[in-house]
Each structure stands twice: as C-alpha cells, then as structure tokens.
Amino acid sequence: MTFINPKTDFAFKKIFGSENSKDILISFLNALLYDGQPTIQSLKIFPPYAAPRIRGLKETYLDIKAQLDDDTTVIIEMQVLNVEAFEKRILYNAAKAYSTQLETADKYALLNPVIALTITDFEMFEDFTKVTSRFVLKEKDFLIDYPVYDIELAFVELPKFKKTLNELETLTDKWIYFLKSAKDLSIVPETMQSVPEIQKAFTIANRSALSREELAELENEEIYIQDRRGAISKAVKQGREQGRQEGRQEGRQEGIKVGQLALIIRLLERRIGAVDSEVDSQIQELSIDQLENLGEALLNFNDISDLTAWLQTQDLPAE
C-alpha cells in the first residue's frame, strides 16, 4: 500500500475533517489535547473557511474547525511552510474565533473557550525540545493564571518527534507518528492497528482509494508546496544578494517579491489558467504580505471569478 502525506492540506482535511471522520478527529484531539484520555465524546465539524462577520475583518482559512461537546471551539491548522508572521496569524485566528461568537446584544458570559491547535512541519520554539506545548494567559511576574481560561494555543512540532515505530507507547505518540511518517510506510504497523481510529485513518489515506480527480488535486498541492519552498528559498537568497550589492533594504524586499510574483503567476496558470492583463496588473500591485495571502487562498479558487473577488477585497493603489 501507498499512503498519501497527511501533512498536505488536502490529505489532512480528508482524513480528519469530514463528517465520516468524527471518530478519527475525536481520537486525535483526545490524544493531542487530553493526553489520550476520552475527554471528548462527541463534536460537530464546521466548514474550515471562516468568513468575516465584521465588515473589513480579515478572512480566515483553517484546516478544521470543530465544536466539542462542552461547547469549546477547536480550530486546527496543519502548517508545512514557515511563513512570515505565522505566529501572529495563529493568535489572530484564535482571537477572532473567540470574539465573533457573540451577536450585538449577546452577553459576554455566553463566550465559550477556544483552543487553537497548530501542527507544524518545522520548529517554532528553539528554546526547548518538547514536541507539544501549550500557551495560556498568565500574570507576567508570578505566572498566575488569568481568571478566565478561555483562549489556549496548543502546538505540535513534528521535527522534534524522534521516536521510532518500536518506541511508540501512548496514543499521542501513535498519532504524531502517523502524521509524520504515514507517507513513508507500505503497511499499517501492527502496533497502530490496535487503535481503530488510526486504522481507519490509514484506510482513508490509502492512495488507491482516491479518485483520479483527488489524486490530481493532491499532486497539484504537493507541487505547489515544493515550488513555494523553492521560490521562498531562492527569493530570500536573491533578496539578500541584491541587498548586499545595493546596500538597501529595498533590494532585499524586491528580490523576495520578484520570486513570489513568479511563483504566484505559475500557480495561477496551473490552477485556473492564464489571467488577462488587467488582473495581472492588479497582482503586480500586491504587497509581499498580500502575495503571501494569495498563495494560501488560491488553493480554494475554482475559476477566475474567485480570483477577481479576492482581489476586490484587497486595498490596491488607486489608478
């Protein structure tokens, strides 16, 4: 058997984010958030795209959004690329998920907790080697918890997980190993077959079970990730070199933007076809941060209308 990479956006959503995958998601969240204890018994899965409820509020793209049986909201993001200001994006998404629960006349007492679970394929916190980490509000000097324990940021850094198959002990170990290593396996390991939800996750991840259209979408995403990694690396190198030569910060930024523009145009052509000169001109006007956001958003585009609608939400220079 050959298994798809659970770290890709397509595979992660397919394995954990469908109505048929509730039991998988419950086991996964119990493992990563509650040390393998059966704390979560049921949950609801919502569409991962979170449209802003306040005019002008930045749109949010998540991999999975779920409401637990105690009304806690969990937003889950699998992040492969270490992009600029990612830490701020996590905090923004968590704060937005918390604050937009209320309608105008609702009381603050109706607010329910939010947990933002982020799995990264890179190291975020170099100061410690722990694979999982949890952040909450505390008093700065005495580290006393804030009275309301309502916003929590939880992280799993896959590169820090070093256990081999024979060293897996807990449900948490097995799920992290699945995320990190499933794509490299040819059979379901015996030690993981004992967990029905993980066995089911492997079944969904079996490449032979995917349709031709799903395989094409997965391939496009894998190409996108590879291209973007290469483009980011090349753009940074070009920007640094140009910055050294010119001795100006503008040189470094321009080099990064040139690389991003080239990648975006190539990906757009693959995703929705060639764009006309007017749309191309608008794309050229985007800032580095806006190009970054477009690179994330275009995976959700089906045709040119989606792109033009997205461009209309951006603050572009007046003609």
Side-chain angles (χ1 to χ4, degrees):
M1 290 184 286
T2 304
F3 301 105
I4 59 178
N5 185 357
K7 292 182 286 188
T8 61
D9 182 71
F10 168 83
F12 191 82
K13 289 177 180 177
K14 184 173 181 62
I15 295 168
F16 297 100
S18 72
E19 282 295 312
N20 188 45
S21 301
K22 284 185 177 180
D23 54 340
I24 296 176
L25 185 59
I26 288 172
S27 175
F28 180 73
L29 292 178
N30 277 331
L32 297 185
L33 299 178
Y34 300 108
D35 296 322
Q37 299 301 312
T39 303
I40 305 169
Q41 295 293 320
S42 63
L43 52 73
K44 297 178 183 177
I45 299 177
F46 296 97
Y49 169 68
R53 296 171 59 185
I54 302 174
R55 185 176 181 181
L57 196 62
K58 186 176 178 63
E59 296 173 340
T60 300
Y61 292 90
L62 305 168
D63 287 323
I64 299 170
K65 180 179 180 181
Q67 185 179 45
L68 309 185
D69 41 19
D70 65 354
D71 291 329
T72 295
T73 295
V74 179
I75 55 176
I76 310 167
E77 186 169 4
M78 174 72 236
Q79 184 70 17
V80 174
L81 300 169
N82 189 4
V83 297
E84 184 180 6
F86 178 59
E87 300 86 352
K88 289 182 177 290
R89 188 174 87 193
I90 293 168
L91 190 59
Y92 174 85
N93 288 344
K96 181 179 170 185
Y98 186 70
S99 63
T100 55
Q101 294 180 59
L102 300 183
E103 300 293 345
T104 303
D106 288 344
K107 297 180 179 180
Y108 293 115
L110 297 175
L111 287 167
N112 292 307
V114 169
I115 301 175
L117 173 60
T118 305
I119 303 106
T120 65
D121 201 26
F122 53 88
E123 291 191 9
M124 283 193 66
F125 310 109
E126 298 179 355
D127 295 336
F128 55 89
T129 59
K130 195 165 180 270
V131 177
T132 60
S133 53
R134 311 281 284 265
F135 293 82
V136 295
L137 291 173
K138 289 183 177 290
E139 200 282 330
K140 185 175 180 181
D141 295 323
F142 296 96
L143 301 181
I144 299 172
D145 288 341
Y146 190 70
V148 180
Y149 197 83
D150 268 10
I151 297 182
E152 180 177 348
L153 308 181
F155 296 89
V156 179
E157 299 171 81
L158 296 180
K160 292 182 178 179
F161 187 78
K162 306 297 183 182
K163 289 187 177 183
T164 64
L165 189 59
N166 294 329
E167 295 173 324
L168 304 182
E169 298 176 347
T170 66
L171 181 64
T172 306
D173 289 344
K174 293 175 182 179
W175 271 120
I176 296 177
Y177 186 87
F178 171 82
L179 285 177
K180 186 174 182 179
S181 305
K183 68 180 179 62
D184 299 319
L185 300 175
S186 57
I187 60 171
V188 180
E190 186 174 342
T191 185
M192 302 178 79
Q193 291 179 13
S194 60
V195 182
E197 295 82 6
I198 296 181
Q199 174 72 56
K200 183 176 177 180
F202 271 109
T203 300
I204 296 174
N206 190 340
R207 186 177 288 268
S208 64
L210 270 62
S211 67
R212 183 177 302 177
E213 292 76 15
E214 288 176 322
L215 288 171
E217 183 175 348
L218 178 63
E219 182 180 359
N220 285 339
E221 185 178 346
E222 289 173 335
I223 292 172
Y224 165 72
I225 292 173
Q226 293 172 2
D227 283 353
R228 195 168 179 205
R229 274 179 170 157
I232 290 173
S233 177
K234 183 178 180 180
V236 169
K237 290 178 182 177
Q238 288 177 338
R240 286 174 179 169
E241 181 61 27
Q242 188 172 350
R244 291 191 192 100
Q245 292 174 356
E246 299 181 5
R248 298 195 305 268
Q249 176 66 20
E250 292 83 354
R252 290 193 291 272
Q253 295 299 311
E254 184 62 27
I256 293 173
K257 184 171 181 178
V258 168
Q260 284 183 318
L261 279 170
L263 173 61
I264 289 295
I265 295 300
R266 185 162 67 251
L267 292 174
L268 282 171
E269 289 177 349
R270 182 182 298 133
R271 186 74 177 177
I272 62 176
V275 298
D276 59 35
S277 58
E278 181 179 352
V279 172
D280 181 74
S281 178
Q282 290 179 304
I283 294 173
Q284 298 290 333
E285 295 291 340
L286 295 174
S287 67
I288 290 176
D289 287 343
Q290 288 172 317
L291 288 170
E292 186 80 35
N293 292 336
L294 177 55
E296 296 172 2
L298 64 82
L299 286 177
N300 298 291
F301 294 169
N302 294 314
D303 52 40
I304 189 65
S305 64
D306 292 329
L307 172 59
T308 54
W310 184 92
L311 288 170
Q312 289 174 2
T313 67
Q314 305 305 301
D315 185 17
L316 298 174
E319 295 182 359

